Amino acid sequence: MSGPAPLGHDPAPSPGFAATSMKRRATIMEVAKLAGVSFKTVSRVVNNEPSVKADKRAAVLNAMRMLDYTPNISARQLASNRSFLIALLFDIPVDYVVRAQAGAVARCREAGYHLVVEEMPQGFETEIANRLQQLRVDGVIVAPPLSHRETVRSALRERGLPYVLLAPEYPDPTASSVGMDDEAAGLEATRHLIDLGHRDIAFIGAASRPASVRRHAGYLRALAEAGLPRRPEYEAEGDFFFASGERAGDALLARPDPPTAIFAANDAMALGAMVSAARRGVRAPEDLSVAGFDDSASATVVSPQLTTVRQPLAAMTAAAVDLLIERTPPPGPQRLELPFELIVRGSTGPAARR
């Protein structure tokens, strides 16, 4: 009977040890052989190049699944001179950024890329840009409000980092961007209230925000189309935060002729106006209809749920990823506008009789 193994020596592994814990990785040549293509074709599929025929691409992807083949990221980087990293820059971790991140993650995963998420507070533009340059990211998605800040764009340009602006407030002729038509969305939201029979419709916006200015322009267009006069006393100023919507609601509903409907340039201000109404015993939507903008998470946790304009954030960030990884990009900066959607919920209803 043998005694215990000498101190400092590991016991011999069991016969199945190597098979279970040291499984050999499939090689690119094995994938090529199983798919009936050259290893160069496999490499093109792995790198998501568009020149591969659909049947060969399907055969390679099937062989990769059968062999549980995982591409070596270092080899991909060397072969393509790419890092396969896309960065998403943000300033304030609000719901907007969380939803934007989800779209970017999904598209990067489909394309064989990885997403790097970086917060860039005011004053840290140089430090964060240097970090992204060291990572050799293939491109940067700049979320608002960073997409409005010239210091951020300048820091990225100086380091030769390609970037796409997400929903910029001002057009930048030197950079590609992805957004939506704010004026058309404001027009549709206000038309919805008019179609419900409302004629006394207020607007809560923020003159300092160009996106709000465009949404206000849509509101005015809808009034003009319906033959309704503009009433400056029904236009209240906010700052995109809940408290300002509450204050604006107080001012509007305290009038001797209060509006029967309110369209706010974002959900936070719309919800503030709804709280102001509830405090006065004004019911939504029986006495007052309220519509917002963004379709934030808070739009569905109130009662009644908020009618709002849904920005296509996931589609916007997916399109931004496509612009950054395109191997044959079109000449010059691109400006993409994606379709929005009006989400009608319980906060809007037919106008009450006065």
Side-chain angles (χ1 to χ4, degrees):
M1 181 175 178
S2 61
L7 189 64
H9 291 267
D10 294 326
S14 61
F17 179 83
T20 57
S21 63
M22 300 180 66
K23 181 180 178 181
R24 186 180 67 83
R25 291 178 54 169
T27 67
I28 191 171
M29 297 303 293
E30 290 170 333
V31 174
K33 183 177 179 180
L34 181 59
V37 299
S38 69
F39 79 90
K40 289 185 177 180
T41 298
V42 177
S43 178
R44 293 190 184 101
V45 172
V46 167
N47 290 320
N48 203 36
E49 295 184 12
S51 57
V52 182
K53 293 182 178 178
D55 57 338
K56 291 187 177 181
R57 184 182 299 276
V60 170
L61 293 175
N62 185 54
M64 289 170 63
R65 282 191 294 269
M66 292 176 65
L67 294 174
D68 194 23
Y69 173 73
T70 304
N72 184 305
I73 186 67
S74 298
R76 290 181 71 201
Q77 290 171 345
L78 289 172
S80 63
N81 196 30
R82 289 191 169 205
S83 67
F84 295 95
L85 296 174
I86 297 293
L88 173 65
L89 281 184
F90 71 95
D91 186 359
I92 306 170
V94 293
D95 173 68
Y96 184 99
V97 175
V98 173
R99 290 184 290 142
Q101 180 178 330
V105 167
R107 185 66 190 97
C108 282
R109 189 173 293 146
E110 291 171 0
Y113 280 68
H114 297 275
L115 185 71
V116 177
V117 182
E118 282 280 358
E119 183 176 4
M120 182 183 274
Q122 187 99 27
F124 285 80
E125 291 86 350
T126 298
E127 177 183 334
I128 301 301
N130 286 341
R131 184 183 306 173
L132 296 178
Q133 185 180 39
Q134 291 165 6
L135 286 173
R136 295 179 54 245
V137 297
D138 291 327
V140 182
I141 302 170
V142 189
L146 288 183
S147 55
H148 323 323
R149 199 187 300 168
E150 172 56 30
T151 54
V152 174
R153 300 195 296 267
S154 177
L156 296 175
R157 281 196 303 268
E158 288 173 3
R159 286 152 188 82
L161 293 170
Y163 62 89
V164 173
L165 304 176
L166 199 62
E169 291 196 336
Y170 299 100
D172 182 345
T174 68
S176 292
S177 62
V178 183
M180 57 168 284
D181 190 335
D182 286 287
E183 182 174 338
L187 174 69
E188 184 165 334
T190 309
R191 277 177 177 168
H192 166 66
L193 297 172
I194 293 171
D195 290 343
L196 289 170
H198 293 279
R199 296 297 178 264
D200 301 318
I201 304 170
F203 177 81
I204 303 176
S208 61
R209 302 284 190 102
S212 175
V213 172
R214 292 192 289 269
R215 294 164 195 175
H216 178 244
Y219 158 81
L220 294 178
R221 274 181 58 193
L223 294 182
E225 285 180 357
L228 298 175
R230 177 181 181 178
R231 299 180 62 179
E233 67 272 22
Y234 276 0
E235 298 173 20
E237 184 68 10
D239 58 12
F240 271 37
F241 289 98
F242 175 89
S244 71
E246 193 173 5
R247 289 192 300 270
D250 288 343
L252 291 167
L253 297 175
R255 293 183 53 80
D257 56 342
T260 64
I262 295 175
F263 169 43
N266 79 335
D267 286 349
M269 294 190 297
L271 294 172
M274 287 179 66
V275 167
S276 171
R279 194 169 55 245
R280 286 173 161 72
V282 177
R283 301 165 301 163
E286 293 86 354
D287 305 317
L288 176 72
S289 287
V290 181
F293 203 107
D294 285 337
D295 195 25
S296 60
S298 54
T300 57
V301 298
V302 294
S303 182
Q305 294 185 344
L306 182 65
T307 292
T308 184
V309 174
R310 175 181 293 165
Q311 298 196 64
L313 285 181
M316 285 162 59
T317 49
V321 171
D322 286 338
L323 287 173
L324 290 169
I325 67 176
E326 179 62 58
R327 290 185 174 273
T328 54
Q334 302 297 299
R335 166 65 183 173
L336 303 182
E337 281 194 348
L338 302 187
F340 57 86
E341 183 180 4
L342 178 66
I343 307 299
V344 178
R345 299 194 179 102
S347 68
T348 54
R353 292 183 179 179
R354 295 271 178 162

